[in-house]
Amino acid sequence: MSSMMRPSALKAEQVMYGIGGSRIVAGVDLDVRYGEVLALVGPNGAGKSTLLGLLAGDIPPTSGMVVAGGRPLPKWSPRELARTRAVLLQANQVAFSFTARQVVEMGRAPWGGTDHAADERAIAAAIAVTDTAHLARRMFPTLSGGEKARVSLARVLAQNTAVVLLDEPTAALDLQHQEQVLRIARDLASRGRAVVVVLHDLSLAAAYADEIAMLHGGRLVARDAPRAVLTSERIEAVYGTPVNILDDPGTGAPVVLPRRGL
Ligand code: ADP
Ligand code: MG
């Protein structure tokens, strides 16, 4: 299905978020579609986490709105929202005295605990797919950064929502687990979910995302297929560093390599 045909899960309409005199997110229009992985990229401070918070309904926009299913987010109850979208925050801040398993169980809270079998299935699947079974009985604060990130992702997956918003889920991960997380994102999309994932690695975004949205200074500067967004000119202008765009020999996807030497 061509991407324009896919149904919209979330729509940001002229969303602006300002603090004091500065516009952290400035008039962004963004359509998030079911069945797609949308990578959100941009330099540090571009407004990615703020935009994700706006899309999640966790941050109320200063002006503009985010609409889900034809209804602005403030008109959704907290429980409805929690059953619709799950959010992996950038910092995996969880209170101290929980085991990893208990953290994953928290993902089931919005579902009210009435269907124990469904809870167990969702938790077991989330733990399996994130490769965290061996961590289940560990205390969460004792986990490494990457282990915390994977357990937190398992919590998000256990929530079993149609919209999944992930803020730098790969930041602390080794190569194998980075790939695993992006394969999980792809798998969610193939099962019809809408996935937004904030990534710094542009090559990783190009390899796994259907489309890339690039933010710069709170503005959306591009949103299109990876090949169309990731031009050396645009990356140089936005990131202030020269790059070469190569082709992945296995897939043909663009690979972004900082230009070094000479
Ligand atoms: P990104 O995730 O792209 O790195 P953020 O959305 O976290 O960017 O932040 C965008 C900009 O807004 C940054 O310059 C950040 O310092 C600023 N910012 C974010 N939240 C606040 C806040 N609550 N108060 C003041 N400045 C903020
Ligand atoms: Mg951020």
Side-chain angles (χ1 to χ4, degrees), residues 99-218:
T99 64
R101 156 92 195 185
Q102 287 171 322
V103 170
V104 181
E105 287 171 354
M106 288 172 197
R108 298 305 298 167
W111 297 100
T114 50
D115 187 343
H116 186 67
D119 289 344
E120 282 304 316
R121 271 198 308 277
I123 291 163
I127 286 175
V129 79
T130 53
D131 189 19
T132 50
H134 62 296
L135 305 173
R137 284 202 280 255
R138 293 269 305 279
M139 296 309 289
F140 187 83
T142 70
L143 302 179
S144 77
E147 290 167 345
K148 280 180 184 151
R150 276 152 51 216
V151 169
S152 298
L153 177 64
R155 172 183 56 75
V156 163
L157 297 176
Q159 204 171 327
N160 200 17
T161 55
V163 178
V164 178
L165 307 170
L166 307 173
D167 199 349
E168 297 196 30
T170 58
L173 300 190
D174 62 48
L175 212 52
Q176 179 205 348
H177 289 108
Q178 278 188 29
E179 296 292 315
Q180 184 182 56
V181 166
L182 271 295
R183 279 199 303 271
I184 291 169
R186 276 250 56 89
D187 183 59
L188 288 168
S190 74
R191 291 187 284 124
R193 316 293 179 84
V195 183
V196 181
V197 53
V198 176
L199 293 173
H200 273 300
D201 185 331
L202 299 175
S203 305
L204 199 59
Y208 286 99
D210 295 286
E211 296 201 346
I212 296 178
M214 188 178 282
L215 276 180
H216 186 209

Side-chain angles (χ1 to χ4, degrees), residues 42-50 52 90 167-168 198 200:
N44 293 141
K48 304 179 296 296
S49 294
T50 306
L52 208 72
Q90 195 165 359
D167 199 349
E168 297 196 30
V198 176
H200 273 300

